[in-house]
């Protein structure tokens, strides 16, 4: 096990900076996930740690040892970094047996012939493939091939494991199974792990901490619960599944929560996260999850309920999704279908009132003055 320290990591392709002065600490034994949309620089960051890319700036240490430093001119080659890597594409040798694929890193590291069979068997047992050691990998299913790739990463008992979207090529059901197994394996083995994915569910279920990236920069580092419930900004909120964004003006920040007036809403609302950073009169963006809003008949609502009109209804089986018009805003609401009631309770054109759960409304920064320039 080893801690990883990344300081000022920068990587450019031509004049595009794809990893931009990244600072990150991974604790010993931690399972840390880089999460973000395609192209945000996750793979490049991981490949710099693995030694498959040379950074243009910055320094990386594994277990206190400098493995790459731009300023110091140091570069430890990949095979000397004591890291195992699992790729999305498996990257196995198709003409070799399972045993020989898994033994490969041991031979690269010149481990003694006598200890190789035992280590390979142990690694294959960890992923439940010990009975297939003699088979050619081309005769395996996708899920089995991914297990071989995992065994190959584990076999030399590296102090660091690096995963690049290892489950993305598996079908949905197998992906869930493998996710559970990976989680159990990490709990058992405890190797420091850096895991790259664009899938928020994978990140939330596997990680000790999540790093949300966008355009080569870190937007937030936090536990799954922190990221899920307290997104630091609009980008993170959007990426982690908050459906609603409202423009608003701050009315009062004297309490622990901010009092805000969302545009077109009949009355003020209370929002978390705005008191310290904002003052009365500031324009802000609010966010709220669709499943933290409840609809009621106008006669049943409390005084602070928000009058609205239903503009669309989507029946999802166990849930119903409603679109509401409130002033200039379209508000998405998702509610569980009550037992024994198959049909949505409201239809297009109905007048309802909406109640936002206490603590569910967040301030996530100021509205962007103009759309950010598109990067290709
Ligand atoms: N070898 C390369 N040459 C040029 N551009 C690259 C290369 N590798 C990655 N990129 C670009 O760098 C950006 C980040 O890529 P990557 O790290 O693979 O993102 P992610 O893994 O988050 O999807 C993307 O815009 C990608 O097109
Ligand atoms: Mg990638």
């Amino acid at each position: 096990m080893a801690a990883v320290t990344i300081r000022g990591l920068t990587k450019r392709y031509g004049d595009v900076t794809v990893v931009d002065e990244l600072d990150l600490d991974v604790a010993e034994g931690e399972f840390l996930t880089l999460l973000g949309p395609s192209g945000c620089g996750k793979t490049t960051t991981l490949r710099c740690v693995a030694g498959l890319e040379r950074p243009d700036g910055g320094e990386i240490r594994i277990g206190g040892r400098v493995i790459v430093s731009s300023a110091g001119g140091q570069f430890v080659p990949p095979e000397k970094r004591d890291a195992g890597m699992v790729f999305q594409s498996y990257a196995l040798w198709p003409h070799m047996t399972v045993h020989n694929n898994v033994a490969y890193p041991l031979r690269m590291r010149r481990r003694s012939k006598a200890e190789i069979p035992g280590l390979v068997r142990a690694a294959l047992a960890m992923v439940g493939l010990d009975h297939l050691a003699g088979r050619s990998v081309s005769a395996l299913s996708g899920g089995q091939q991914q297990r071989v790739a995992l065994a190959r990463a584990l076999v030399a008992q590296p102090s660091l494991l690096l995963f690049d979207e290892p489950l993305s090529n598996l079908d949905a059901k197998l992906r869930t199974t493998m996710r559970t197994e990976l989680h159990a394996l990490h709990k058992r083995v405890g190797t420091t792990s850096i895991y790259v994915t664009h899938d928020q569910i994978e990140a939330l279920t596997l990680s000790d901490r999540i790093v949300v990236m966008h355009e080569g920069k870190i937007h937030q580092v936090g536990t799954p619960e922190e990221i899920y419930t307290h997104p630091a900004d609009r980008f993170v909120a959007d990426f982690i599944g908050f459906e609603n964004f409202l423009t608003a003006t701050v009315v009062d920040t004297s309490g622990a929560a901010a009092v805000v007036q969302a545009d077109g809403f009949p009355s003020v609302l209370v929002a978390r996260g705005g008191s310290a950073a904002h003052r009365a009169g500031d324009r802000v963006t609010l966010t709220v999850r669709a499943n933290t809003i409840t609809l009621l008949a106008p006669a049943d609502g409390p005084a602070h309920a928000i009058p609205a009109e239903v503009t669309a209804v989507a029946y999802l089986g166990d849930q119903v999704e409603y679109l509401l018009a409130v002033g200039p805003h379209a508000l998405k609401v998702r509610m569980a279908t009550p037992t024994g009631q198959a049909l949505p309770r409201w239809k297009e054109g109905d007048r309802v009132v909406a109640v936002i759960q206490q603590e569910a409304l967040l301030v996530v920064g100021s509205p962007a003055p103009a759309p950010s320039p598109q990067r290709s």
Side-chain angles (χ1 to χ4, degrees):
M1 279 191 263
V4 180
T5 310
I6 301 176
R7 288 289 173 273
L9 184 70
T10 299
K11 178 72 188 173
R12 293 181 206 97
Y13 291 113
D15 53 9
V16 183
T17 303
V18 301
V19 179
D20 198 358
E21 304 243 351
L22 202 92
D23 291 334
L24 188 61
D25 292 292
V26 189
E28 213 172 295
E30 185 174 34
F31 195 108
L32 181 117
T33 297
L34 306 182
L35 173 69
S38 175
C40 73
K42 308 179 295 293
T43 292
T44 306
T45 303
L46 198 73
R47 288 172 63 86
C48 286
V49 177
L52 303 171
E53 298 284 353
R54 279 172 190 263
D56 295 298
E59 184 181 281
I60 303 174
R61 289 169 190 254
I62 300 178
R65 177 169 74 126
V66 176
I67 47 133
V68 59
S69 163
S70 290
Q74 282 144 294
F75 184 84
V76 175
E79 65 277 10
K80 299 225 166 86
R81 291 191 182 192
D82 196 21
M85 183 147 174
V86 186
F87 301 88
Q88 178 179 357
S89 63
Y90 318 143
L92 301 172
W93 304 101
H95 57 283
M96 285 188 193
T97 61
V98 168
H99 175 95
N100 284 339
N101 266 282
V102 176
Y104 191 79
L106 299 173
R107 297 195 172 118
M108 286 287 290
R109 291 169 198 222
R110 307 197 181 285
R111 297 286 282 263
S112 82
K113 278 220 170 80
E115 62 177 338
I116 289 178
L119 287 170
V120 170
R121 216 175 304 122
L124 285 174
M126 263 193 247
V127 300
L129 278 189
D130 29 345
H131 59 297
L132 293 180
R135 196 176 286 185
S136 161
V137 293
S138 49
L140 299 179
S141 70
Q144 289 170 328
Q145 291 189 17
Q146 192 52 282
R147 281 169 208 265
V148 176
L150 186 58
R152 185 184 54 187
L154 292 165
V155 72
Q157 296 162 350
S159 60
L160 176 64
L161 284 170
L162 305 172
F163 299 91
D164 192 358
E165 312 245 7
L167 308 184
S168 298
N169 279 347
L170 305 175
D171 65 57
K173 199 167 168 200
L174 194 54
R175 207 181 308 148
T176 313
T177 311
M178 284 295 283
R179 199 173 70 206
T180 311
E181 287 186 22
L182 265 182
H183 192 56
L185 190 73
H186 177 73
K187 291 271 165 269
R188 210 161 65 233
V189 182
T191 310
T192 309
S193 300
I194 306 179
Y195 188 97
V196 160
T197 185
H198 66 276
D199 183 312
Q200 47 151 310
I201 303 295
E202 264 176 42
L204 291 169
T205 51
L206 284 170
S207 318
D208 293 317
R209 281 188 309 154
I210 297 172
V211 177
V212 184
M213 288 180 66
H214 179 47
E215 296 186 339
K217 285 186 157 56
I218 293 175
H219 274 236
Q220 188 172 6
V221 182
T223 64
E225 197 192 343
E226 282 164 358
I227 300 279
Y228 189 83
T229 58
H230 291 75
D233 58 31
R234 185 189 167 130
F235 172 79
V236 177
D238 196 9
F239 196 75
I240 208 74
F242 280 74
E243 298 90 344
N244 295 301
F245 295 92
L246 313 171
T247 50
T249 302
V250 176
V251 176
D252 180 26
T253 56
S254 53
V259 179
V260 293
Q261 175 67 57
D263 298 347
F265 277 53
S267 53
V268 295
L269 302 165
V270 172
R272 283 189 301 150
S275 270
H278 295 283
R279 57 178 73 177
D282 282 359
R283 293 289 289 163
V284 290
T285 299
L286 308 175
T287 192
V288 60
R289 284 189 186 272
N291 64 0
T292 56
I293 306 173
T294 307
L295 301 189
L296 296 166
D300 300 338
H304 66 275
I306 305 152
E309 183 184 333
V310 176
T311 56
V313 181
Y315 178 60
L316 310 174
D318 59 342
Q319 294 182 317
V320 181
E321 207 167 82
Y322 297 98
L323 219 52
L324 309 181
V326 188
H329 294 295
L331 202 60
K332 193 181 267 187
V333 175
R334 204 162 49 247
M335 288 168 70
T337 315
T339 319
Q341 186 191 315
L343 291 173
R345 179 162 170 201
W346 287 286
K347 58 183 192 311
E348 210 181 306
D350 280 354
R351 307 291 313 180
V352 293
V353 294
V355 178
I356 298 176
Q357 244 174 55
Q358 217 170 350
E359 310 262 290
L361 188 69
L362 305 179
V363 177
V364 278
S366 310
S372 58
Q374 287 290 313
R375 284 174 51 149
S376 56

